[in-house]
Amino acid sequence: MDYILILQKDLPLTPVANEVRDVKYFGQEELKAFVNKTDLKFTPWFKLIHDNFLYKWWNSLNNLDAVKDDKIHHL
């Protein structure tokens, strides 16, 4: 089970070193191209979120109430 929370706030990014190897910021088109590279592997949960939800959420960042969802999704 994974929880996904979206928050709009300026916060410092401080990943835990033994959990995160690298961090990169992407624009939408850059991320789509990155994910579609055939030589890369992603966790199954990330791929499901990417394919089903991510861009809908991203396009609604100015109105997160429009995509608020408290349902449990079985993917």
Side-chain angles (χ1 to χ4, degrees):
M1 180 179 287
D2 287 298
Y3 294 94
I4 301 164
L5 306 171
I6 299 173
L7 174 71
Q8 289 180 310
K9 189 151 180 92
D10 286 329
L11 297 172
L13 181 62
T14 52
V16 177
N18 67 347
E19 294 181 3
V20 178
R21 185 183 75 188
D22 200 4
V23 175
K24 180 171 173 69
Y25 290 95
F26 290 95
Q28 283 192 30
E29 295 307 314
E30 188 181 14
L31 179 61
K32 287 176 187 176
F34 184 79
V35 169
N36 288 326
K37 287 183 178 180
T38 57
D39 60 332
L40 299 174
K41 294 181 181 178
F42 296 93
T43 60
W45 65 264
F46 174 79
K47 196 72 165 112
L48 288 167
I49 291 166
H50 175 272
D51 294 347
N52 293 286
F53 300 104
L54 184 62
Y55 298 99
K56 177 176 69 170
W57 295 336
W58 197 333
N59 291 328
S60 298
L61 285 175
N62 290 326
N63 182 16
L64 289 175
D65 285 335
V67 292
K68 182 178 177 182
D69 184 351
D70 59 359
K71 297 175 190 164
I72 296 175
H73 296 269
H74 300 275
L75 302 175

